[in-house]
Structure formats: structure tokens, C-alpha cells
Amino acid sequence: MTGWEALLGLPTKVGDSAPAMAIAFLLFFLPSNLRDLNSPPYFAVEISSSKESGFSDLLSVKLSSLSVLPSGVLVAIICFTISILTEIISNTTLATIMLPILNQMALSIGVNPLLLMLTCTIACSFSFMLPVATPPNAIINGNMKTMDMAKPGIVMNLVCCCVQLFMINTLGAAMFDLHQFPNWAIQNKK
């Protein structure tokens, strides 16, 4: 079966994926409310469903029981948990879900929100073990098995988590004063 370019007599350099990309591209320009042409485009509307539904508030209250742990242990738990979750969940999706939760959790337990959120943001990039973790991992040789990626990937995850924990407690603390509860967070806590 020939594609749309053969039907319209277009050069074969244009593939069948062009209409799909054109429609996706239009979503950046079409208004989200067709009755109001001044409304923001579909992909410009920023709604965090976990925040709007109250899920992030509920989960942050449940996670605030971790306030008995020292902040360094809490950061380590977040780093290793996020690096595991990012193997099966998209990096962007995981960050979109977890950042509001960690923000509310940090405010409720009195920890600098940047400490938890910066840890989460960086750990979302530690997806080295599985081909499904991130698109570059899927672009591999067809002869490669999942275990061929998982073995060195787990070592890379552990090394990256250890480096991040060191950096967040040294350079991060020096640059952003991460171990002090900031004034702007006190205002947001109210």
C-alpha cells in the first residue's frame, strides 16, 4: 500500500510520518478552547494533575512521617528511589509527578525544598538500565539483550547516585544553602 505522498504525487523524500508531526506541531498553536481564540495553545496549558487533584498534598502528608530521618538519609532515599522509578517511567512524567509532592513534603517537615527537588530532578536522568527508560536507550543494536544493558546500567546508577549525594551535600549546599530553611519557603508554607 502506498502512502499519501504517492497519492498526491509528492516526492518520496516526504514520509508518512509528516502528517502526524504536522498535527502534533499544530497543537502548539491551536487554542485550547476553540470558543475563545485568545486562550493559550493546547501544549502551553500547564496543569499538574497530581497537584490539582490533591494527590501531591495527600502523599506529602503521608511521606512527612519521614521527618524523623536526617535530611541526608532522606535525600539518599529519594535519590535511589527516583533512579529506580525512572527506569520504568518517563523522566519528564516522573519529575512532573514527584516535584509538587516533594515540595509539599519539604514544606511540611521543614526542609529546604530545593534539597529534595534538586535531588529528584537530577536523579530523573539516571535511566541507564532498561531500553524502555529513555528514548536513547531504545536506540541500540538489535542483538543486545536487556541484561547486557542492565548489568553496567545498575553500576552506572549506583555511581551516579553516590556522586550526586556527594555533590548535593558539598557544592549544592555551598551554592544554594540547602541545609537552611529559606525565607521564601516560610512565606509559601503559610
Side-chain angles (χ1 to χ4, degrees):
M1 181 172 155
T2 58
W4 66 275
E5 75 275 357
L7 180 68
L8 298 175
L10 297 174
T12 58
K13 291 182 180 178
V14 177
D16 290 333
S17 61
M21 292 303 297
I23 291 170
F25 187 71
L26 280 176
L27 292 175
F28 286 99
F29 297 101
L30 292 176
S32 57
N33 183 357
L34 293 177
R35 293 182 182 153
D36 179 14
L37 297 179
N38 292 327
S39 64
Y42 278 104
F43 285 165
V45 177
E46 295 189 20
I47 298 174
S48 173
S49 58
S50 63
K51 180 82 171 152
E52 294 295 321
S53 67
F55 175 70
S56 61
D57 293 332
L58 174 69
L59 194 55
S60 66
V61 167
K62 298 293 183 187
L63 290 174
S64 64
S65 62
L66 296 174
S67 64
V68 297
L69 297 174
S71 63
V73 174
L74 188 59
V75 167
I77 290 171
I78 290 169
C79 183
F80 285 105
T81 303
I82 296 296
S83 71
I84 291 169
L85 286 175
T86 195
E87 297 297 337
I88 56 173
I89 301 173
S90 162
N91 302 354
T92 308
T93 304
L94 186 59
T96 302
I97 292 170
M98 290 305 296
L99 288 176
I101 293 169
L102 293 174
N103 181 38
Q104 291 299 319
M105 180 181 151
L107 293 175
S108 66
I109 64 175
V111 174
N112 189 335
L114 286 178
L115 179 64
L116 304 184
M117 294 171 70
L118 191 59
T119 301
C120 173
T121 303
I122 296 169
C124 280
S125 299
F126 298 162
S127 50
F128 306 115
M129 292 174 47
L130 300 175
V132 298
T134 188
N137 287 2
I139 305 171
I140 57 172
N141 185 349
N143 298 328
M144 186 176 262
K145 297 177 183 160
T146 302
M147 286 307 292
D148 294 338
M149 277 187 77
K151 288 177 185 176
I154 195 157
V155 172
M156 288 180 64
N157 276 1
L158 292 172
V159 168
C160 285
C161 285
C162 291
V163 168
Q164 180 185 356
L165 293 174
F166 174 75
M167 294 302 288
I168 202 91
N169 287 308
T170 55
L171 186 61
M175 287 178 64
F176 301 112
D177 200 19
L178 296 176
H179 298 297
Q180 299 295 322
F181 197 73
N183 290 333
W184 58 263
I186 294 171
Q187 295 169 352
N188 290 341
K189 192 174 180 178
K190 294 177 183 177

